[in-house]
Amino acid sequence: MIPPKIKEVIKAITEGVLIGLLYYVVYILILPKLLAGIFGELKIVFPISLRTYLIALYLFVGLGTATSLLKNHPLSLPLKLLSKVLGALLVLAILNFGILQGTIPVMGVQIDFRIDISVLLYAILLFSMLMFP
Amino acid sequence: MNTLLKLCIGLVGLIVLYGLAAPMVFFVADLVRHPGALRVEMVAARFNESHVKLVVTVYYNGSVELKDVKLTVLERDIYFGDLIKGSEVSKVITLPISALKEIGKEMSVSFSVVGLYPVELKIRSGTQ
């Protein structure tokens, strides 16, 4: 028989890991693919290294777990905010702060493009911060 | 948070996000479907012995408004203002005859899609 206190801790850790994974999947896996899909014809690639993927995973899961474990502690609110701000900064860094750049050949001419979609990116992040736990 | 309030925020947020994303998506779709939706034409005519008159015309037939359209040719900025569907704006500049050869090599166009998304296009020809 597992004591109820340990059960609570295990539940909090599981919840934190799941929330961290949810952030990871939405921000690191889905959002860059979604943006690359919108601008599909421009063949935009966000160069994310394996190391960045791992750092993002540790960060989101770690902060998610800490927030969940300290749910009833006064530290939980700043930790939650910190987790969201760090997550947003990481996403912005991965997406080059919303600056899309590249070169496309059109009718024998090379066109270098630079598109600033930071407004849209900030709106997506703000929206997700309000909506996600 | 109250579920109903969250639902309302979600709905409003989605509408706002759609409103923000739609112009950029439509602009890219327009350019992909019709590459001639934004077109620049230049016609040169002799002005005097040493200079030519260059008529630069920008045609735009996309569905979203482009603001502050600027063309830079040979380090000279030419402003075309705001362009909407069906716009055709011409500007005249004078250039030394010797500069004519350099015109097509590099020029850039900058504007912002509905004033929200700054775009800069640098056109290079003759180099890969």
Side-chain angles (χ1 to χ4, degrees), chain B:
Chain B
M1 202 190 288
N2 187 317
T3 315
L4 188 66
L5 180 66
K6 208 165 185 175
L7 205 70
C8 287
I9 292 176
L11 199 66
V12 171
L14 280 179
I15 293 169
V16 171
L17 281 185
Y18 173 77
L20 277 175
M24 197 64 212
V25 175
F26 291 154
F27 173 70
V28 173
D30 278 344
L31 282 195
V32 169
R33 270 189 235 132
H34 315 286
L38 179 63
R39 213 167 75 239
V40 179
E41 269 182 22
M42 293 185 197
V43 178
R46 187 176 277 266
F47 182 63
N48 58 29
E49 289 302 308
S50 58
H51 286 74
V52 285
K53 198 169 71 174
L54 188 70
V55 182
V56 185
T57 309
V58 173
Y59 300 90
Y60 179 61
N61 209 18
S63 53
V64 290
E65 187 182 8
L66 303 184
K67 289 191 174 277
D68 304 319
V69 180
K70 185 181 86 177
L71 181 77
T72 306
V73 186
L74 300 171
E75 294 173 3
R76 285 182 69 169
D77 295 336
I78 310 165
Y79 293 92
F80 291 90
D82 301 344
L83 300 181
I84 53 168
K85 192 178 174 81
S87 290
E88 182 185 327
V89 184
S90 296
K91 299 277 170 175
V92 181
I93 56 169
T94 49
L95 290 171
I97 291 176
S98 58
L100 266 184
K101 281 184 282 179
E102 306 293 317
I103 282 178
K105 284 188 181 164
E106 189 167 327
M107 63 176 167
S108 67
V109 184
S110 65
F111 52 86
S112 73
V113 178
V114 295
L116 278 178
Y117 306 106
V119 176
E120 198 181 330
L121 305 170
K122 271 194 184 148
I123 300 143
R124 293 179 284 127
S125 63
T127 51
Q128 287 295 311

Side-chain angles (χ1 to χ4, degrees), chain A residues 23-57:
Chain A
Y23 273 110
Y24 178 77
V25 169
V26 171
Y27 287 133
I28 310 298
L29 301 183
I30 296 178
L31 196 57
K33 289 234 169 7
L34 193 74
L35 286 176
I38 289 175
F39 301 99
E41 294 297 325
L42 300 178
K43 294 179 179 65
I44 289 163
V45 180
F46 296 105
I48 309 172
S49 66
L50 185 66
R51 206 178 130 178
T52 314
Y53 275 120
L54 284 176
I55 290 172
L57 185 64

Side-chain angles (χ1 to χ4, degrees), chain A residues 16-98:
Chain A
V17 169
L18 286 178
I19 288 174
L21 282 176
L22 176 73
Y23 273 110
Y24 178 77
V25 169
V26 171
Y27 287 133
I28 310 298
L29 301 183
I30 296 178
L31 196 57
K33 289 234 169 7
L34 193 74
L35 286 176
I38 289 175
F39 301 99
E41 294 297 325
L42 300 178
K43 294 179 179 65
I44 289 163
V45 180
F46 296 105
I48 309 172
S49 66
L50 185 66
R51 206 178 130 178
T52 314
Y53 275 120
L54 284 176
I55 290 172
L57 185 64
Y58 288 146
L59 189 83
F60 282 121
V61 172
L63 285 170
T65 310
T67 311
S68 179
L69 273 173
L70 297 169
K71 200 182 261 175
N72 300 318
H73 194 278
L75 252 182
S76 89
L77 188 66
L79 208 59
K80 209 169 184 173
L81 282 174
L82 181 73
S83 127
K84 289 187 174 189
V85 170
L86 279 180
L89 277 175
L90 190 71
V91 173
L92 284 174
I94 285 173
L95 298 176
N96 197 20
F97 287 82

